[in-house]
Amino acid sequence: MNFQQLRYVRAAVQNDLNLTKVAGELFTSQSGVSKQIRELEQELRVDIFVRRGKRLVGLTPAGESAAKVIERLLQEADNLKRLSAQFAEADKGCLIIAATHNQANYVLPRLLLRFGAQFPDVEVELLQGTPSFVAEALLRGEADIGVATEAVDGYPQLETHPCFTWQHVAIAPKGHPLLELEAPTLADLARYPIITYSAEFSGGSQVQQVFERAGLEPYLRLRAMDADVIKTYVRLGAGIGIIAQMAIENGQLENLAVVPATAGFFGTSSTKIALRKGSLLRNYAYQFIAMLAPHLDPQVLSGRKRAPAGAAVPAIASFAERSDLLFGEGGPAELNKAGAFAAAGR
């Protein structure tokens, strides 16, 4: 038995039993993969996979149990490598962050600049995609840390920690009738075509649910992954936009304005850090987490010390309160106009 055989089994499971993909991913031949898996099965004296001819079509009951053990073994092997690196090159290495577009565009820039100044010998790689992409990158070991919304909570193999809370706000082109109202209602918004996030992104499904609970049927003209795309179509007059407040605070508002008092309409969302359960990260990764979520103790996260018994759950700041993350032109005045401070309980 060797680690390469274990990697072949894990890759087969991760690639939906497609050995052609496994061979390409691990830079070997398909016949070599099949041979190594067969040799492992012979040594274990059980079949890991159900076969139809030469094709793998499923896991046997023994294989399902074996796949879980193999995943733990390979994860601990990775942890052992990281543990040695902690002492050999404490502040050198690579940090791979998987993040959604909103987080990458509007939350991480200033933080990554600070991180780079503190750890100049750490190379940072930023992967962008959907929340499910973020989760899968973590589960496949392709990223160290994930940054997304509540969507990552749905993966039991991940542990998540809140960073800060935020709200959606409505935007419209300058001169739009909604901007003349002091206190528009949901019904006022529903009179116009709406452009917002895809259901998986940044609470896109949450926006639709709020309208439905109010008995309204808005015309969702367009859904997109990125707030900048939404802004473009709003500027062109395709409708009004509903976007995350960080895209106002740290984004361009050219020819756009925030619709007054709309920040409290769609509830409160949370940006979260996601980690694969049981994985050991490098010291600088835990420092990055502490920058993004200052209420978290890097020593506790790394397992070097236990959280005090009965410790109170730390208060989570709102995005508007995180001056260390702010860099854009929207400014507190725009968020205040949208009612963010009042809705956050200030």
Side-chain angles (χ1 to χ4, degrees):
M1 184 187 304
N2 57 62
F3 277 106
Q4 194 61 32
Q5 292 170 330
L6 303 183
R7 292 188 183 97
Y8 288 158
V9 172
R10 180 174 68 177
V13 173
Q14 291 178 340
N15 286 283
D16 298 321
L17 310 184
N18 187 324
L19 295 188
T20 301
K21 288 184 178 180
V22 173
E25 183 179 286
L26 298 179
F27 305 102
T28 188
S29 66
Q30 184 173 336
S31 61
V33 172
S34 297
K35 180 175 181 291
Q36 289 292 319
I37 291 176
R38 270 298 190 190
E39 289 180 358
L40 177 61
E41 289 177 317
Q42 290 169 4
E43 182 172 354
L44 296 176
R45 293 187 295 177
V46 296
D47 287 337
I48 296 175
F49 295 103
V50 178
R51 290 173 171 81
R52 185 175 298 149
K54 294 184 179 181
R55 293 178 56 243
L56 306 183
V57 295
L59 285 166
T60 66
E64 291 179 358
S65 297
K68 294 176 183 177
V69 174
I70 287 170
E71 178 63 34
R72 290 199 300 270
L73 286 171
L74 292 175
Q75 185 173 355
E76 289 301 325
D78 290 339
N79 286 343
L80 188 59
K81 293 177 183 178
R82 291 191 178 103
L83 183 64
S84 65
Q86 297 281 28
F87 298 95
E89 294 183 318
D91 294 337
K92 293 182 180 180
C94 180
L95 177 63
I96 304 177
I97 304 166
T100 56
H101 297 282
N102 264 356
Q103 312 303 328
N105 285 344
Y106 308 120
V107 173
L108 297 181
R110 276 193 66 183
L111 187 150
L112 287 177
L113 289 177
R114 286 170 48 216
F115 179 83
Q118 186 171 339
F119 298 99
D121 294 324
V122 175
E123 177 185 347
V124 176
E125 183 175 353
L126 190 58
L127 310 177
Q128 290 177 244
T130 66
S132 61
F133 166 83
V134 172
E136 292 298 327
L138 289 170
L139 295 176
R140 293 170 66 92
E142 296 169 355
D144 302 306
I145 295 170
V147 185
T149 58
E150 292 93 336
V152 290
D153 286 336
Y155 294 81
Q157 308 97 314
L158 302 179
E159 62 176 273
T160 61
H161 304 276
C163 302
F164 53 82
T165 59
W166 55 270
Q167 297 169 318
H168 290 87
V169 294
I171 58 173
K174 289 184 176 178
H176 194 281
L178 281 175
L179 301 178
E180 304 301 320
L181 303 178
E182 291 186 7
T185 65
L186 270 177
D188 292 325
L189 299 187
R191 292 170 51 206
Y192 300 93
I194 290 174
I195 305 168
T196 191
Y197 298 106
S198 301
E200 190 183 358
F201 281 83
S202 302
S205 59
Q206 182 177 330
V207 169
Q208 184 170 354
Q209 289 167 6
V210 168
F211 281 108
E212 290 175 351
R213 285 196 295 267
L216 300 170
E217 295 184 11
Y219 170 29
L220 295 174
R221 171 169 279 178
L222 178 67
R223 289 183 178 274
M225 300 193 319
D226 192 326
D228 284 339
V229 173
I230 294 172
K231 291 178 189 177
T232 295
Y233 284 88
V234 174
R235 286 191 185 97
L236 292 173
I240 62 171
I242 298 174
I243 61 176
Q245 72 176 91
M246 60 274 275
I248 299 297
E249 180 69 36
N250 284 343
Q252 298 294 320
L253 279 178
E254 182 183 359
N255 296 324
L256 299 174
V258 174
V259 179
T262 55
F265 284 0
F266 304 101
T268 299
S269 298
S270 175
T271 289
K272 295 192 174 184
I273 285 174
L275 309 171
R276 188 167 57 153
K277 288 181 179 177
S279 65
L280 176 67
L281 301 179
R282 299 286 298 275
N283 287 330
Y284 52 73
Y286 292 115
Q287 294 302 317
F288 171 85
I289 293 172
M291 290 180 181
L292 186 54
H295 56 280
L296 298 179
D297 185 339
Q299 296 293 315
V300 173
L301 285 174
S302 64
R304 294 182 179 179
K305 76 175 186 180
R306 293 184 178 182
V313 177
I316 308 301
S318 68
F319 182 76
E321 296 170 318
R322 290 292 304 274
S323 59
D324 58 316
L325 301 177
L326 306 181
F327 62 85
E329 69 166 22
E334 285 290 347
L335 290 178
N336 195 34
K337 179 181 178 182
F341 291 115
R346 292 186 55 176

